[in-house]
Amino acid sequence: MVVLRKLPGMPGWPAALGLRLPQKFLFLLFLSGLLTLCFGALFLLPDSSRFKRLFLPRRTTASASSSSSASSSSSASASSTRDTDLPRSPPAAAEPRHASPAAPRRLREKFRAAARMAGPARTAPGSPRQVRGGDGRAEPATGATPARDTRAPFRFDYERFRRSLRHPVRGGRPGEDPETRARRMKIKEMMKFAWDNYKQYALGKNELRPLTKNGHIGNMFGGLRGATVIDALDTLYIMELEEEFQEAKKWVEKSFDLNVNGEASLFEVNIRYIGGLLATYYLTGEEVFKSKALELGEKLLPAFNTPTGIPRGVINLGSGMSWSWGWASAGSSILAEFGTLHLEFLHLSELSGNPVFAEKVMNIRRVLNKVEKPQGLYPNFLSPVTGNWVQHHVSIGGLGDSFYEYLIKSWLMSDKKDLEAKKMYDNALEAIEKHLVKKSAGGLTYIAEWRGGILDHKMGHLACFSGGMIALGAEDAGEERRQRHMDLAAEITNTCHESYARSDTKLGPEAFRFDAGSEAMATRLSERYYILRPEVVESYLYLWRLTHNPKYRQWGWEVVEALEKHCRVEAGFSGIRDVYTTTPTHDNMQQSFFLAETLKYLYLLFCEDDVLSLDDWVFNTEAHPLPVNHTNFKAAVQQ
Ligand code: DMJ
């Protein structure tokens, strides 16, 4: 240290103070401690402090989510103009970041052009400091006259996308029989009834309570409101309920507030809000839906700040703090939650020109590919810290379900180019067929759950989506395999139909079992309820579209009749507490997914195949249609 150097002819200044050797040593120790403290304190000063700027080079202070600064112009205006606008880093951010995310080179190249169009990225440490120009664009602060930035902001080419569709969105083939049309109109009337009552009694709340005629907020959406509005938008649009669609759109424009501060489920916000907004943007081209989706997408990014990049399940949308569900084993993340982001996040990157969203989900895939799978199966709980499984519970129903769905749909959405997703799906299904698919004594095929090698002979209502999924995935396989998978899909769908047919209400229970003499029926009181879930009719729709066997329409119509009889109440539709009794036991809740999924799938079942054609669209797990990438996403970037 310069200040302690002994000058020629002068005693060192500790010596000048008359100190002895041990005292000198202690004095020097004290002094160096003091200096370290002073220097360290500089880091605690605010960025604006003159002292700090004097002693430390300027550096980026944003949390990891700031890597998203190359966002679309619309979202940039809301969230990336000032560091202080960015969500604060959650505690997880303090953990060592995982080594560079494994976004494949292809992916990076694909988005490089997009990032250029989106404007310069946030200043990297060591790079020349940047300041904001009057138009919000970054300009170099080198002292020289800044060159005028003539680059166009990123713009998704919506017209080009629309031209790439192979069918009119709401179909164009006339000539169906009058009964089919009448049934479709009946389902449209049910949607109008569900919406009108929600609007009258609960607009702006998350769900309608149709018995007490008020709204329900719940605690899944972190202070966000209007879950039913967002979930209903694309169904209203597809059903040509124009006036109602305009009411919903107006609410989004005027009242949908994203500046909330509450604990949200990353999964639910993604599948309902982001999925609903993205789908409605693609269907209508209305910018408001895109900008809200992108703004909300950015708010979810801090959940990925974990050592592995596997996001935690819960995030505070205001602070960006994230954590795991209290009920999840040892702080783990849930397969069906972190595995159900891929479709929406690719579209967030596509629409914003910002690769960060795609990188996050590609990294999840990389972690999953690395970890060893017991017997080829994917357990439901994974540690976001170590990247290892926490508990060996495997299920194609709750906790696992939509992870498998998103693998096959990633392949379909990529126009069958994402071969990695297809391979993961094929391998997972092979393990499921080998270890979990069983036949009951009465000849019903079902998919059991697996707990550390022991089978639980139970199927949840949620698992009934798998008939449709397996049918979808059977496409493009070799003849033997295609037939085997189509048969399996039909058998599982038949079993799920049996779970409805064997109840007094003709609606299915939350879970049904194949043990102790039971066949496709709930054996526990706690599993007898039906909350307007869509999974069974979802499978009917796919099986109808892929086989045109009229029984699927017939089964769908049975559901319509049962809903009318047992779930329709004075002010909307309600779940029921016991499917095995016809005495009404309503739960007083009209779930938002009833409008997003159940009614949409039923309606489509009675439409021609070109309405939301499977050639052009994949449905996210909340039935929000997202387009198949016919145009090659890269080409959609304005050059
Ligand atoms: C929906 O929110 C989604 O389908 C999700 O994947 C699981 N379940 C509900 C409806 O049952």
Side-chain angles (χ1 to χ4, degrees), residues 543-557:
L543 267 296
W544 162 253
R545 287 247 172 133
L546 297 167
T547 67
H548 288 145
N549 184 330
K551 78 179 174 196
Y552 296 112
R553 275 189 165 169
Q554 189 46 43
W555 290 354
W557 188 247

Side-chain angles (χ1 to χ4, degrees), residues 231 267-268 271-272 336 340 401-402 405-406 461-462 465 510 531-535 538 591-594 597-598 601 620-623:
D231 253 356
F267 164 79
E268 296 290 354
I271 66 168
R272 300 195 201 206
T340 309
D401 48 6
S402 41
E405 177 186 353
Y406 271 37
H461 191 289
L462 290 168
F465 85 99
E510 180 66 4
I531 56 169
L532 307 174
R533 285 199 191 279
E535 291 76 14
E538 176 179 350
Q591 302 281 349
S592 76
F593 53 68
F594 181 64
E597 298 188 74
T598 314
Y601 286 134
N620 89 339
T621 195
E622 190 79 358

Side-chain angles (χ1 to χ4, degrees), residues 445-505:
T445 302
Y446 63 96
I447 306 184
E449 298 193 2
W450 191 84
R451 294 173 195 278
I454 312 242
L455 287 184
D456 189 358
H457 298 271
K458 151 195 169 192
M459 244 180 110
H461 191 289
L462 290 168
C464 284
F465 85 99
S466 60
M469 176 188 76
I470 293 168
L472 258 184
E475 264 194 280
D476 272 28
E479 189 44 38
E480 183 278 324
R481 194 183 159 96
R482 202 192 73 80
Q483 196 48 56
R484 184 160 49 86
H485 283 178
M486 283 308 288
D487 290 347
L488 178 60
E491 285 169 27
I492 289 168
T493 305
N494 178 61
T495 300
C496 291
H497 172 253
E498 283 302 314
S499 78
Y500 276 48
R502 293 175 189 208
S503 80
D504 296 19
T505 55

